[in-house]
Amino acid sequence: MSADFDLISENHIYLREPKKSTYFAVKHMNAKKILIIGLVWPEPASSAAGTRMIQLVDLFLRKGYEVTFASAASKSDFSYDFSSSRVIEQEIKLNDESFNSFLKNLMPEIVLFDRFMVEEQYGWRVQQECPAALRILDTEDLHCLRSARQQSDKKQTEIDLFSDTAKREIASILRCDLSLIISEVEMKILTEAFKIDSSLLYYLPFLENEITEETIKKWIPIEERADFVFIGNFLHEPNWNTVQVLKTKIWPALRKKLPGVNMNIYGAYPSQKVLQLENKNERFFIRGRAADAQQTISKHRILLAPIQFGAGVKGKFIDAMQAGTPSVTTSIGAEAMKGALDWNGFIEDDLEVFIEKAVVLYEDKTSWLSAQHNGVRIINERYAAMKFADDFISLVKKINLSVHRQHNFIGQILNHHTVQSTKYMSLWIEEKNRK
């Protein structure tokens, strides 16, 4: 294939095929390599986790890193298309020494694990083949916290954080050099309840574009919006539970107060039990996957999300604020999102009051516009990418691994071969698969 030098950047030389506009990297000049190992191939149109991962990928690309994204999962029709970016894709296998060979050839300076389950599977192999690589864990949210809250809600008991899931997740955090935490509440839980040294944790929320005056001018006005909306990936248990609450506890009373208004439920991967909740006579509609979450939310007047359990930061509210759509949610739903600012709507745990607030926000334009303005402040003051990106990359570049790891002696213990049960389980499976 013939090609011409057409674009040179600080760290890369790109070639362009004749008569085409697609560039492809042929040489990486002094660019550091980062390997991101995904639990799944990202689906930003399906979940906040997918959006978060693409934000991290884009951040490292912008900072001149050579990014390789690898996953053992199968791609879906909704997996993010990296073909138009400089990301190198790599399919990998579970419990297979081919991953070790892949690591030896790549030799990344940084390895980022997408959730603790991925670190359990591949972390020991990374330690073995690339001991000098900085190991970063992106927690997405604290799975042990979400699980504990779910069990508490189900059994109506006190929250017990110290579960087997917590032991696995905290061990993963301790084995890594740095863990990215998306919620300030979870930072506090990790340092106070689990006694994790703060040097191992880094608060990195969603990295959003600021909302400008030009953006605001393009928003659909309240008069041209209608109905309530909820959106959430149905593979995520808190979303399924929230829809059940809407169907059985919120909507029966709310639709009587606002006759003629619809409740629209959007979300990827709705199961049959979700689809069966639709009732046209009650104006309760299951709409399925939204091609564009923000565009879909922008057509509706209010996002309703009576979330009963969960963790992390909820992407649905980020999308709502970016679309200029106020919301009514619970304290769990809004947890860690607004800081000292006012919410873009109402936060209410009493479901009867929740319904009343939804009516007020739907009918009162002054309250609605005030809530919309609050959302702009939350995005611009707490999630603007420019407030976090440079500081994070600077930290990554200046970490002295030998000193950093010496400080984390518990992590050294957990990385010692005598306590790596996941390593030996993987090797046993690998050997079994050969037979």
Side-chain angles (χ1 to χ4, degrees), residues 33-36 60 65 108-112 133-134 136 396:
K33 299 176 182 178
I34 177 170
L35 168 64
I36 301 176
F60 281 104
Y65 286 80
E109 285 88 354
I110 303 172
V111 177
L112 187 148
L134 176 70
I136 301 176
V396 166

Side-chain angles (χ1 to χ4, degrees), residues 337-360:
M337 292 199 67
K338 69 182 185 66
L341 301 176
D342 293 325
W343 186 245
N344 75 318
F346 295 107
I347 300 171
E348 184 55 60
D349 293 324
D350 183 306
L351 295 186
E352 290 186 5
V353 180
F354 184 102
I355 293 167
E356 294 173 4
K357 296 295 186 181
V359 174
V360 170

Side-chain angles (χ1 to χ4, degrees), residues 222 224-228 261-262 264 299-302 362:
I222 185 174
E224 296 177 24
R225 297 179 182 229
D227 303 335
F228 294 99
V261 175
N262 298 327
N264 300 286
K299 299 175 183 178
H300 299 296
R301 194 171 289 189
I302 297 172
Y362 195 92

